[in-house]
Amino acid sequence: MRLGDSVPDLTLPDTDGRDHALRGDGITTVVFTCNHCPYALAWHDRILAVASDYADRGVRVLAVNPNDAGRYPADSFEAMKERVAADGGWPLPYLRDESQEAARAFGAKTTPDAFVFDADGALRYRGAPDADHRDPSQDAVWLRDALDTLLVGGDPEPAETEPVGCSIKWKPGA
Amino acid sequence: MRVELLWWEGCPSHPEALEQLKQVLGEEGLDPEAVEVVEVLSDEQAERERFFGSPTIRIDGEDILPPGEGDPVGLSCRVYRLRDGRPSPVPDVEDVRDAVRRRAYAAG
């Protein structure tokens, strides 16, 4: 997926059994993530904070787990549900991409890998949440800057960064 | 003292882990270049090596931070915990240092 491309017209189920269209109103952020990757875990709280902080500003944040649960049972739909329940709920839906169609359509590489679409559904930022998974004070600044810029009608800069994390766990033959 | 670092290409943490390990070995007066770096390429090799994820560091055949009971062997990224509790793709440097010292002193 390249900058300017449209958000794929796909619908995925969340851990509460609700379906979510990836294409929706307002600014949408899709973050590919998972349960078992240390990079995804290191950035997790920062992603949740973004979802909370921007919820009342017309920004949707969706977490999507596309990993092959056959080889990585920690990423099964059941394990996703258990994780969210153990946390007492998340401020964003945690979606299951069982077919991996969304990950393929986005060209997602890693967990995490973040994609920000403007209100017209065009991709405006893609990459890592910030420069350093080890440093919580980074606070997903690249993601926040992209959202802040879009909210005032500007062009995110940088618009692309290199996603950093564990490789997407594709199903055999995918 | 035999020091091994096992890694898998699906996880980008091994350069950082290797650098950290070499730094600790050097600081403890040991040879940083003595680290044996082993790439794990297949499920079969992971099973054979008892590879619990990338990176795995062993000293004299013992994992410096033994995995929990039930942790799966396989090609994955390993989750470590820093001493402040945060998840991390590499061990806390002080855990590496403690492991090196334990084995170095045990070896006399």
Side-chain angles (χ1 to χ4, degrees):
Chain A
M1 177 169 276
R2 295 178 179 177
L3 294 174
D5 286 353
S6 295
V7 60
D9 187 13
L10 296 169
T11 298
L12 299 174
D14 73 10
T15 52
D16 293 327
R18 285 189 286 267
D19 288 337
H20 295 260
L22 303 186
R23 186 175 291 176
D25 295 333
I27 295 169
T28 296
T29 298
V30 176
V31 181
F32 288 87
T33 187
C34 71
N35 286 357
H36 88 275
C37 170
Y39 292 88
L41 297 177
W43 263 306
H44 178 69
D45 288 348
R46 286 173 248 178
I47 302 298
L48 264 55
V50 168
S52 294
D53 292 347
Y54 287 84
D56 62 358
R57 300 174 69 185
V59 174
R60 291 192 313 153
V61 182
L62 309 171
V64 178
N65 185 339
N67 279 348
D68 175 13
R71 285 169 50 86
Y72 297 88
D75 283 323
S76 71
F77 204 6
E78 281 308 306
M80 291 169 57
K81 293 174 183 175
E82 289 169 9
R83 183 180 176 203
V84 173
D87 288 348
W90 288 5
L92 75 171
Y94 192 19
L95 312 181
R96 180 67 185 150
D97 180 20
E98 186 66 38
S99 70
Q100 303 188 314
E101 185 179 3
R104 274 195 300 276
F106 280 73
K109 292 181 179 176
T110 60
T111 54
D113 195 352
F115 297 77
V116 179
F117 299 87
D118 64 21
D120 295 325
L123 181 65
R124 303 295 297 277
Y125 175 80
R126 185 269 173 93
D130 57 48
D132 192 348
H133 64 87
R134 292 163 293 199
D135 181 4
S137 73
Q138 289 267 326
D139 200 20
V141 65
W142 288 343
L143 191 51
R144 288 176 181 271
D145 280 353
L147 294 171
D148 290 341
T149 302
L150 288 175
L151 284 166
V152 297
D155 296 321
E157 179 59 41
E160 285 186 280
T161 61
E162 187 64 28
V164 174
C166 310
S167 58
I168 298 283
K169 303 304 182 289
W170 301 104
K171 294 181 177 181
Chain B
M1 191 168 78
R2 182 183 186 200
V3 182
E4 300 166 280
L5 185 144
L6 294 88
W7 64 281
W8 169 58
E9 68 165 1
C11 192
S13 54
H14 60 277
E16 180 185 353
L18 181 59
E19 181 183 343
Q20 182 188 66
L21 178 58
K22 286 184 171 183
Q23 179 189 331
V24 168
L25 290 171
E27 289 170 354
E28 296 300 320
L30 301 165
D31 180 8
E33 301 309 317
V35 179
E36 296 175 33
V37 180
V38 179
E39 182 177 7
V40 179
L41 297 163
S42 66
D43 289 322
E44 293 73 20
Q45 186 184 1
E47 188 69 38
R48 200 166 56 243
E49 294 276 6
R50 305 298 296 159
F51 178 67
F52 289 91
S54 184
T56 286
I57 299 170
R58 290 184 194 144
I59 302 180
D60 292 336
E62 288 189 16
D63 201 308
I64 65 164
L65 290 165
E69 196 170 320
D71 282 359
V73 166
L75 300 176
S76 68
C77 293
R78 192 159 167 179
V79 180
Y80 291 95
R81 290 280 166 183
L82 302 178
R83 291 194 170 184
D84 64 8
R86 286 182 292 135
S88 170
V90 298
D92 192 296
V93 68
E94 294 308 318
D95 287 334
V96 177
R97 191 183 313 282
D98 283 354
V100 167
R101 286 178 175 173
R102 273 198 308 273
R103 298 305 296 189
Y105 293 145

